[in-house]
Every structure is written in structure tokens, then in C-alpha cells.
Amino acid sequence: MKLLIFACAFFVAACFVNGQSCTAANGDKGDCVPILRCPSLLRTVNNKNRSPADVDILRRSACGFEGNTPKVCCPCHTPYDEAGKCVSIYSCPHLANLLKKPVSTENMLLVQASRCQGADAYSVCCGSPPETISKGNCEARNTALPPDPRTECCGLDPAASNKITGGEETTVDQYPWLTLIEYLNRDNRIKLLCGGALISNRYVLTAAHCLVGSVLDVGTPKNVRLGEYDTAHEGPDCRPVEGGGEDCTEDIVIIPIAKTIPHAEYSPLTRRHDIGLIRMQQAAPYTDFIRPICLPTVDITVKPPPNFKLYAAGWGAINSTHSKSVVKLHVGLPFVSQRECQPAYNVSRRKVALWQGQMCAGGELGKDSCKGDSGGPLMYENGRIYEVLGVVSFGPTPCGLEDIPGVYSKVSEYVRWIKSNIEP
């Protein structure tokens, strides 16, 4: 791996440490971890324009090796994976201000996710204030790493004003992170069996069962299709818009798959860890029709806000009586707690013990993610941006049954796994 060979040049003088606690380059208490688990220092290693000060920080951060992987004394990180300083919350005004009443669910969870092991009982990892985060210039920021949601370079939907009514066609530019996986069958024909969500310019998030197992009996994942709307039509797709005229897509972009990364612990029997990544051979462009969705910053399902609504979209069937759709569809789905969801999967014909890496949504008659949607995103509109909260995993047969929600892999449980498997 190029990253590890390159990183070792900075850590040849590193000594092994006995414990996990260490002193980071910023003087804070840190944890001695493989560099792949330290986002800020990993970004420094991958930065081709490193300064002498950056190199010095890398040298002073070295704390050993795990096999051939360099370990670094990693400082605390904010929920945005930014290196911070572990201080009293009263010394971090922008976090303290989040607790001014009324306190929203998102703000409370963000403060809780910022906690660190400092000297103060209410220590938080204090990073950059929101007003210092620059927004825009997304084409220049379009890299293999998932974007920081605060930059608004992910999850921003050009068609955000178009509200979802359920099981209906999207506009041509809605959900520009949706992808289709092209499979090559034994007859050298392309089949569309699964979907996914673009999370950076090189990576697509999907389900593990779309990458391994019985799906390979039908075909082998070969390409990722981006910017699609109508799979039955070649060339730009056009649809009328309010006020007259048409909105048209650009040509689709098809990128060969370089590598598939199913979760190593995925089990088709228990349905656990049904999540995977696809690395594309080339970088995807950033346009109105192709752009990434944001990874979740906190687990909003811990304390869902009132009227918590989620959204599924893709080219799957509306319900079990319909074939797969040729155009992009969307549907609004209610969040269902695991306590309410588990009874639907206690019956013998679909007996599954749900766990913390899964979440449920749906259970309304005729509204569901369905065949053809596997691997696609379950989305939450958090202010101006969309986050991918779930990955379509499994559900009832037939789909769209009342009181039987669909089950999704819970992305917030896998953010660290996702980022640790991303290469520059």
C-alpha cells in the first residue's frame, strides 16, 4: 500500500509504547493508534503540499507500529474528524452556545459526541468555530476523502425544494449521489442489480450483499453508473419543470470498479455488517447531477426529533407487484425504533435478531425500499444537507407490507470503518 510505504519514512525513528495513552504533538493527552485511525494526521500524510511544520508534527506524533502500519499519538477529534484541543466546555464558546435553551436534538448529540478525557469534568474536543469554516469551492475539494458537511460540499441537493410524496418520480437532478452498480453476467450483458451512494469522488457506499454471496451467481460488479435518471433512455434525460420549460441531465458517467470492500464480518445468515465500499478507478466529477452525500456526524436515532422522517430513493420496485422502475423514484418513510421493529422479525419465516448496527424505517402499506434498491441510501435531511443514515439491507417479502418495516445497516455505527478503508 503506497500510503504505508510513504508514511514509514516519517516514523523510522519511532519507539514502541507499552500503553495506549500518550502526549500528542499539541501537548494534549492522546491515544497511540494506527495512523489510519487518526483522520487529521492521515490527511497530513496524504497532503502533497506538506510544510516543514507538518513534517515535524508527524515525527513528534510517532509512537510505534502495528505490524507494518505506523502508529501515531492521535489528539482528540471533533465529530467532524478535525483535530481539536481537549478543554473545559466553558473554554469552547461555540460548543457551549449549543446548550443555550431551547436545545435541539442535533445540538445536544453534537456536544455529547465532542466529549473527551480532559482534566475538567465537562471536557470537550474543541475545534474550529463554525464561522471559520469556508464553504463552496467544492470542485477543488472533491477528493477521495468524504467531505466535511460544514463546507456544504456534500449532501446539497439542487432539487431540495421538491418535496417527497412517496413512491413517485424524482426530478432529474434530485439526489445526485445515487448510483447504480453494473454487473457483467455470463453472457457478457450488463445487469443492474444494486444501488449505492457516492460519498466522495472515489468511493461508493453500498451493501455487502451487493458485493459478495449469491449476487455473484448472477453477475460480477464491473462499473458504477453516475448521473442516471432514466435507465431505458440513452443520452440526456429531460423532464418538464414548474413554470414551463424542461430540465435536462447531462450524459451519464460510467466508471470501472477498481476494488470492492465488503465488511469482513458480514454474515448472510445473521444479516449483520451488511455494508461495503466500492473504489472506482477514476475520480467522479462534481456537478449538479453528480455529487456526494454526507456521512452522519452524530447518531440522530438515539433521540429522534419530533416527526422524524427518512427518505429512500432508487430504481427499485414501488411494491412487490411492480417490476423495477426505469426512472429514479423516492419515498418518505417513518423511523421505527428497534424495540418496535423487532416483533416483525420474530416470526419463523423471517426470524432475525436485530442489533445496534441496524435500524428500521417504513411499515406503511405500499411504501418501502424494494427489490432493486439494495445498497441504496436511507437519507435524512439535516437542515440544508442530506446525510446517509442507512444502507438498504433487507425487508419483508413481499415488500411494502403494513407494520413490517425494512431493515437498514446503520451508517453511524460504521463511519470509522468506512474512513479507515478509504485510500487517497
Side-chain angles (χ1 to χ4, degrees):
M1 185 195 226
K2 291 181 179 179
L3 165 67
L4 299 185
I5 295 171
F6 180 76
C8 284
F10 290 106
F11 300 105
V12 290
C15 297
F16 285 91
V17 294
N18 294 322
Q20 289 298 304
S21 182
C22 55
T23 301
N26 64 0
D28 262 5
K29 178 182 175 182
D31 293 314
C32 185
V33 299
I35 192 169
L36 295 175
R37 288 173 50 197
C38 189
S40 60
L41 293 180
L42 181 60
R43 282 194 293 269
T44 302
V45 168
N46 293 333
N47 182 7
K48 296 179 180 178
N49 299 313
R50 289 177 304 279
S51 67
D54 291 333
V55 174
D56 182 59
I57 288 174
L58 287 171
R59 292 189 191 281
R60 288 189 290 118
S61 299
C63 62
F65 286 87
E66 188 174 280
N68 292 323
T69 304
K71 295 175 75 174
V72 292
C73 191
C74 193
C76 74
H77 278 72
T78 72
Y80 298 102
D81 272 346
E82 174 190 22
K85 191 83 172 172
C86 192
V87 298
S88 165
I89 190 169
Y90 305 110
S91 299
C92 189
H94 65 275
L95 283 182
N97 287 338
L98 296 181
L99 297 181
K100 290 182 178 179
K101 295 182 179 180
V103 183
S104 69
T105 298
E106 290 89 343
N107 286 353
M108 178 60 73
L109 291 173
L110 195 61
V111 171
Q112 290 174 346
S114 300
R115 292 180 63 183
C116 60
Q117 298 297 319
D120 193 271
Y122 302 100
S123 294
V124 293
C125 193
C126 191
S128 303
E131 60 270 16
T132 65
I133 304 298
S134 63
K135 298 179 181 180
N137 195 23
C138 297
E139 290 84 355
R141 287 173 159 163
N142 193 30
T143 70
L145 297 173
D148 183 335
R150 296 172 298 178
T151 64
E152 296 188 352
C153 288
C154 60
L156 205 57
D157 189 349
S161 60
N162 298 290
K163 296 303 178 184
I164 293 178
T165 56
E168 297 183 355
E169 293 183 13
T170 69
T171 59
V172 293
D173 54 352
Q174 208 160 2
Y175 315 120
W177 40 82
L178 289 184
T179 69
L180 284 162
I181 304 174
E182 294 187 350
Y183 294 76
L184 190 67
N185 68 10
R186 292 188 180 91
D187 297 327
N188 286 324
R189 293 182 179 179
I190 291 294
K191 295 182 72 70
L192 303 175
L193 304 177
C194 279
L198 190 70
I199 59 170
S200 74
N201 75 356
R202 281 292 186 114
Y203 285 88
V204 169
L205 183 67
T206 188
H209 79 259
C210 291
L211 306 177
V212 293
S214 59
V215 70
L216 300 182
D217 296 333
V218 182
T220 303
K222 286 295 180 182
N223 306 303
V224 172
R225 188 184 298 187
L226 306 157
E228 180 63 281
Y229 179 75
D230 185 345
T231 62
H233 178 253
E234 292 186 7
D237 298 317
C238 299
R239 287 294 185 275
V241 295
E242 292 182 11
E246 287 186 323
D247 190 10
C248 297
T249 66
E250 299 167 353
D251 284 333
I252 62 172
V253 174
I254 297 176
I255 302 178
I257 292 172
K259 180 168 63 171
T260 59
I261 312 167
H263 196 288
E265 297 179 66
Y266 165 61
S267 168
L269 296 177
T270 64
R271 309 289 186 96
R272 296 185 176 186
H273 304 296
D274 190 10
I275 194 165
L277 290 170
I278 293 173
R279 179 177 170 88
M280 298 178 289
Q281 286 187 15
Q282 292 96 38
Y286 187 97
T287 71
D288 283 345
F289 303 97
I290 301 173
R291 59 179 61 178
I293 190 171
C294 297
L295 294 176
T297 304
V298 297
D299 181 4
I300 191 70
T301 68
V302 170
K303 189 179 179 182
N307 304 314
F308 188 37
K309 196 82 168 180
L310 302 170
Y311 308 105
W315 289 263
I318 299 174
N319 56 51
S320 60
T321 62
H322 289 71
S323 60
K324 289 192 292 184
S325 175
V326 296
V327 297
K328 189 165 39 174
L329 302 177
H330 54 197
V331 62
L333 301 171
F335 170 73
V336 180
S337 70
Q338 199 165 107
R339 178 182 58 80
E340 297 171 301
C341 186
Q342 182 61 68
Y345 291 91
N346 285 339
V347 298
S348 58
R349 64 182 179 277
R350 52 172 179 270
K351 198 168 185 64
V352 179
L354 303 178
W355 77 305
Q356 65 184 28
Q358 293 165 324
M359 61 180 293
C360 298
E364 294 182 347
L365 185 63
K367 292 185 177 183
D368 202 354
S369 53
C370 202
K371 55 188 178 183
D373 287 322
S374 284
L378 181 69
M379 303 170 286
Y380 168 56
E381 191 175 9
N382 186 1
R384 295 188 65 212
I385 64 172
Y386 280 89
E387 297 176 352
V388 53
L389 295 198
V391 172
V392 179
S393 182
F394 66 95
T397 303
C399 51
L401 297 181
E402 191 169 10
D403 297 326
I404 305 178
V407 180
Y408 302 77
S409 296
K410 189 176 180 181
V411 176
S412 61
E413 290 288 326
Y414 294 98
V415 170
R416 283 280 173 249
W417 177 86
I418 291 168
K419 291 184 177 180
S420 68
N421 279 282
I422 285 179
E423 300 174 24

